[in-house]
Amino acid sequence: MKKIIVTGAAGFLGSHLTKDLLQKGHKVLAIDNFLSGSYRNLGDEIKNDRLTLIEHDVSDELILGLEEVKGTDELYHLASLASPAFYKKMPFETIAANTIGTRNMLEIARINQSKFLFTSTSEVYGDPEVTPQSEEYLGSVNTWGPRACYDEAKRLGEVICYEYFHRYKVQVKIARIFNTYSGGLRCDDGRAISNFVNQALHDKDITIYGDGTQTRSFCYIDDSIHALQLMMEKEEATGEIINIGNPVEHTILYIAQLVKKLTQSNSKITFQPLTQDDPKMRCPKIDKAIRLLGWKPTIDLEEGLRRTIHSYMTNHKGITTI
């Protein structure tokens, strides 16, 4: 049994990871400031004797002195607002979690000599000029815009990880996560699949921002969680940046049409102006994940959407209040 810290443990990705680690018999210290996370995301595992849940901000240096962080074997640093709907409203909190918070978590890993995984993002590639994006691509980013608080904070978080890896030999691994989805995304999250499914289930207009020709590649949550645990486990991933995502690219319009078909919805598909700095394409090259982790997604888009739709339909008739 390992002692594992998960920051952002009450969020979308963090809660799925926390529940899976507990089900595998590990002891988990779950840390969250609950800006966007919820106790409900952890479900019945909230009562698990091997779960210690602490409400704390990772950017607060007092976290370094907590007794609970001692003796940690592994640390997954997931804490951050990840949806544009939230980080645009709380930019400074987003910056702090990914910079100061990242350094605080790396310091805990250094003191405990524990493995460390930082969840970065495909957003570090900005609005890419090449597709698919490999880990070597340096990106096409805008530091002067509403998405920069997230994109650039993640980029700086990677830099801090680099320094701790080279200066202090912390066992750092960086996952650049592409679009991930399942029924756990909250209705007001503002991301494409959660928007489309909830709009379709209520026969509301399915809203596309832009003309729908922009592309994304969506990875189902189970595949993403499996990849993160493989990264933590594999020594080959130490000191590496690895794309985690589904390499199959679809237009946003196709995804909206598929959601409408699978839900048998009467919704109309409507179009609104594209938001500033929204990438025109996003697709990972996952050769490195295949080579170092032996990982690639196993759940295709249609199967993942069926699971997602079922989850929303059984959660308060399609409404998740998380």
Side-chain angles (χ1 to χ4, degrees):
M1 179 175 66
K2 297 174 184 175
K3 181 177 179 180
I4 302 172
I5 292 177
V6 178
T7 72
F12 170 58
L13 200 63
S15 61
H16 280 85
L17 176 61
T18 296
K19 288 187 284 188
D20 196 65
L21 292 171
L22 289 167
Q23 288 163 12
K24 289 177 177 174
H26 299 300
K27 188 175 182 180
V28 178
L29 173 60
I31 301 173
D32 205 293
N33 63 3
F34 293 95
L35 282 182
S36 62
S38 169
Y39 290 96
R40 292 182 60 183
N41 285 345
L42 293 166
D44 292 338
E45 295 295 341
I46 201 79
K47 303 172 185 176
N48 194 311
D49 292 340
R50 285 179 282 103
L51 176 68
T52 301
L53 181 58
I54 295 178
E55 184 172 352
H56 206 101
D57 195 309
V58 294
S59 62
D60 182 350
E61 66 177 8
L62 293 177
I63 201 167
L64 298 173
L66 295 180
E67 187 68 25
E68 290 89 344
V69 305
K70 295 179 180 178
T72 300
D73 298 301
E74 297 175 354
L75 198 162
Y76 291 86
H77 180 36
L78 282 67
S80 175
L81 296 162
S83 165
F86 292 107
Y87 63 66
K88 288 179 182 179
K89 292 179 181 177
M90 293 179 274
F92 297 111
E93 292 86 347
T94 303
I95 293 167
N98 287 296
T99 57
I100 300 168
T102 298
R103 184 171 185 182
N104 285 342
M105 294 305 103
L106 281 162
E107 192 62 19
I108 290 172
R110 184 187 68 81
I111 293 168
N112 287 285
Q113 297 185 320
S114 56
K115 295 180 180 180
F116 180 90
L117 187 145
F118 175 55
T119 54
S120 187
T121 173
S122 61
E123 294 287 337
V124 302
Y125 299 122
D127 189 3
E129 297 171 348
V130 299
T131 194
Q133 295 86 55
S134 72
E135 292 86 354
E136 288 72 35
Y137 177 59
L138 299 181
S140 175
V141 297
N142 178 21
T143 63
W144 195 260
R147 300 175 76 100
C149 62
Y150 182 68
D151 304 0
E152 291 300 294
K154 286 291 189 183
R155 287 168 68 92
L156 182 52
E158 290 189 9
V159 175
I160 299 168
C161 288
Y162 170 88
E163 294 296 343
Y164 267 78
F165 174 67
H166 285 277
R167 290 175 181 270
Y168 306 122
K169 310 305 177 187
V170 174
Q171 299 174 70
V172 168
K173 299 114 186 285
I174 296 175
R176 284 184 181 159
I177 299 176
F178 284 66
N179 297 75
T180 302
Y181 72 102
S182 81
L185 280 169
R186 51 192 286 173
C187 291
D188 58 351
D189 188 78
R191 286 183 263 196
I193 286 182
S194 56
N195 276 1
F196 293 169
V197 171
N198 280 287
Q199 288 167 341
L201 288 173
H202 291 86
D203 288 327
K204 295 181 178 179
D205 288 352
I206 296 175
T207 307
I208 291 177
Y209 293 93
D211 62 8
T213 59
Q214 64 269 42
T215 63
R216 295 291 184 273
S217 54
F218 288 93
C219 192
Y220 192 70
I221 187 69
D222 292 0
D223 283 327
S224 297
I225 293 301
H226 183 217
L228 295 182
Q229 293 182 63
L230 282 173
M231 280 191 70
M232 187 65 85
E233 171 192 328
K234 299 281 188 180
E235 292 300 323
E236 295 88 342
T238 302
E240 298 287 348
I241 297 173
I242 302 176
N243 285 339
I244 301 301
N246 194 314
V248 180
E249 197 171 9
H250 299 285
T251 67
I252 292 295
L253 178 58
Y254 170 79
I255 294 164
Q257 291 169 334
L258 184 56
V259 167
K260 180 177 177 179
K261 173 187 171 184
L262 294 175
T263 55
Q264 299 181 334
S265 173
N266 294 317
S267 296
K268 296 178 181 178
I269 295 176
T270 62
F271 299 86
Q272 297 292 330
L274 190 66
T275 57
Q276 183 180 345
D277 296 331
D278 190 61
K280 292 182 288 294
M281 55 187 175
R282 184 61 54 76
C283 181
K285 188 174 183 181
I286 63 167
D287 298 34
K288 199 171 183 181
I290 293 170
R291 186 177 76 252
L292 297 182
L293 309 178
W295 175 88
K296 59 182 178 180
T298 60
I299 301 167
D300 66 22
L301 179 63
E302 185 162 338
E303 172 59 23
L305 284 177
R306 289 184 188 279
R307 297 185 188 186
T308 300
I309 291 164
H310 176 75
S311 176
Y312 279 118
M313 289 179 70
T314 54
N315 264 305
H316 305 293
K317 297 182 180 178
I319 301 175
T320 52
T321 52
I322 298 172

